[in-house]
Amino acid sequence: MSIPQMHLPAMFALRAAVQRTLLAVVVPATLAFWTVPAIAEDSYPNRPIHLVVPFAGGVTDKVSRVFGERLEAILKQPIVVETKAGGSGVVGTRWAAQQPADGYTLLVGSDGLSLNAALASDDTFDPARDLTPIAPIVSFPFLLVTSVNKPYRDLRDLVTTAKAAPGRLNYATNGVSTGSSLMGEALKSETGTDIVPIPYKGGSEQALALISGDVDYAFLTTAFVQPYIRDGALKPLAIATHERSAAFTDVPTVSELGYTTLGKGFTWFALFAPKGLPDAIRARLEAASGQILADPSFRKTLAEWDGSPIGTTSQDLAELLRSQTDLYVKQLAELPAKQN
């Protein structure tokens, strides 16, 4: 039995109907595929943002919470401060870097990123490669502090005691690859002393160890130690800068005391995201950060903690990360091989 032939007009009509159906289904689906990212970026943020803090307690937590409160007010979404401490900040930093680059996981990074890059013996993590810089937040100088119950009158007295008892004194650090650790090693190198580093997870643990007398001293930021000094639990012996601090006018600088390699002792904090963050979301976060940094009340809070601005843009932060890494490479090369 033969199949009847379809008349040409009917065949053309059927083909046109099929084409219309395909266009109705395929074209909207294709357009939706390409426009979803743009829509997601335009509506950012539309859910809570996690702000990862890689140290427990201390000034990192303090800065993160004050900054996060203001970021929440601008973005109109909850900012969840999430502490992931360990490994001198490496644990939380690498965890944040591995999250989706969608703007809902941010990181408060510090100068430890530059120091880790300077110390890196492999290529498993590079902050310049694996993170997106958004904006710097603040920098703080280091104070060398001790318990009020320790007998040291000043830094020279501490050094004299250390020289008389090699290996008997110790100092607290945030870990082996942090600014406080590098400051401690630089002091040992310049003074020719043998002082034992004791690592802690964060500033709060270091403060407790200092107050209890478990350690002899520590390099801690001015922002963190202010309350302990004000309450009479800790006393400053020197500030690791070339100029005296407006918040600690009676504390001598390391330069005044004759120590030349310790005058660049400061830590900084900045906002990062995982690598690959869309430009529109980065720009939104950078603009919000700039708005916070320009807020007189925020700047007043930082000034009360002896904090200084270090720029406002993602380009400023990228340059800070590069220049600080170069500085640490130079400082590490100047340390004896055993300390390095």
Side-chain angles (χ1 to χ4, degrees):
M1 177 178 173
S2 61
I3 299 174
Q5 297 293 318
M6 182 178 288
H7 292 295
L8 285 179
M11 183 176 67
F12 289 146
L14 176 62
R15 185 168 65 182
V18 170
Q19 289 175 337
R20 285 194 298 272
T21 301
L22 288 173
L23 286 172
V25 173
V26 174
V27 171
T30 302
L31 289 173
F33 175 82
W34 289 109
T35 57
V36 163
I39 292 172
E41 291 173 25
D42 289 344
S43 63
Y44 175 84
N46 55 25
R47 55 188 170 89
I49 297 169
H50 289 258
L51 186 60
V52 177
V53 181
F55 292 100
V59 70
T60 317
D61 183 81
K62 190 174 181 178
V63 169
S64 300
R65 293 186 185 281
V66 172
F67 185 83
E69 289 173 1
R70 286 164 169 79
L71 189 61
E72 181 174 293
I74 293 172
L75 297 181
K76 310 299 182 185
Q77 287 293 336
I79 303 295
V80 182
V81 177
E82 190 171 349
T83 301
K84 289 188 177 295
S88 302
V90 172
V91 172
T93 298
R94 294 198 179 193
W95 183 88
Q98 293 166 359
Q99 302 311 300
D102 55 8
Y104 292 99
T105 299
L106 305 177
L107 169 73
V108 176
S110 70
D111 58 303
L113 291 172
S114 291
L115 185 53
N116 279 318
L119 286 166
S121 57
D122 55 37
D123 195 39
T124 57
F125 181 77
D126 178 356
R129 180 194 65 205
D130 300 324
L131 293 172
T132 298
I134 295 174
I137 300 175
V138 65
S139 70
F140 299 107
F142 281 115
L143 273 176
L144 193 159
V145 294
T146 187
S147 168
V148 292
N149 297 319
K150 291 291 183 180
Y152 319 121
R153 297 183 301 274
D154 52 35
L155 178 54
R156 291 195 184 101
D157 192 25
L158 173 67
V159 171
T160 299
T161 304
K163 286 184 175 181
R168 295 289 299 276
L169 270 63
N170 55 30
Y171 70 97
T173 78
N174 271 343
V176 295
S177 56
T178 60
S180 62
S181 176
L182 182 59
M183 291 298 297
E185 294 304 308
L187 176 62
K188 289 164 58 178
S189 177
E190 182 164 356
T191 59
T193 51
D194 180 11
I195 308 175
V196 181
I198 307 295
Y200 292 90
K201 288 184 178 179
S204 297
E205 288 190 6
Q206 292 182 68
L208 290 174
L210 284 164
I211 294 169
S212 66
D214 290 341
V215 293
D216 291 287
Y217 70 91
F219 283 97
L220 292 169
T221 63
T222 52
F224 178 72
V225 298
Q226 268 186 337
Y228 297 97
I229 294 173
R230 184 174 58 243
D231 294 343
L234 299 177
K235 60 182 177 182
L237 301 182
I239 188 166
T241 57
H242 292 303
E243 297 180 358
R244 290 206 178 196
S245 162
F248 299 92
T249 55
D250 57 338
V251 179
T253 69
V254 289
S255 301
E256 289 177 51
L257 299 173
Y259 302 103
T260 59
T261 63
L262 301 174
K264 295 181 180 179
F266 72 94
T267 188
W268 51 262
F269 299 96
L271 190 64
F272 293 87
K275 197 65 177 178
L277 187 71
D279 287 342
I281 295 179
R282 179 201 54 75
R284 176 81 174 98
L285 290 167
E286 183 177 346
S289 299
Q291 188 175 337
I292 295 169
L293 295 170
D295 182 355
S297 66
F298 184 71
R299 296 177 74 89
K300 182 175 183 290
T301 298
L302 297 183
E304 289 171 352
W305 296 345
D306 205 27
S308 302
I310 45 174
T312 59
T313 69
S314 57
Q315 289 82 4
D316 292 335
L317 179 51
E319 173 57 24
L320 175 66
L321 187 64
R322 184 201 62 76
S323 63
Q324 195 72 13
T325 300
D326 291 345
L327 174 63
Y328 281 145
V329 167
K330 181 176 181 294
Q331 289 180 332
L332 288 167
E334 293 171 351
L335 292 177
K338 182 178 179 181
Q339 290 171 267
N340 198 343

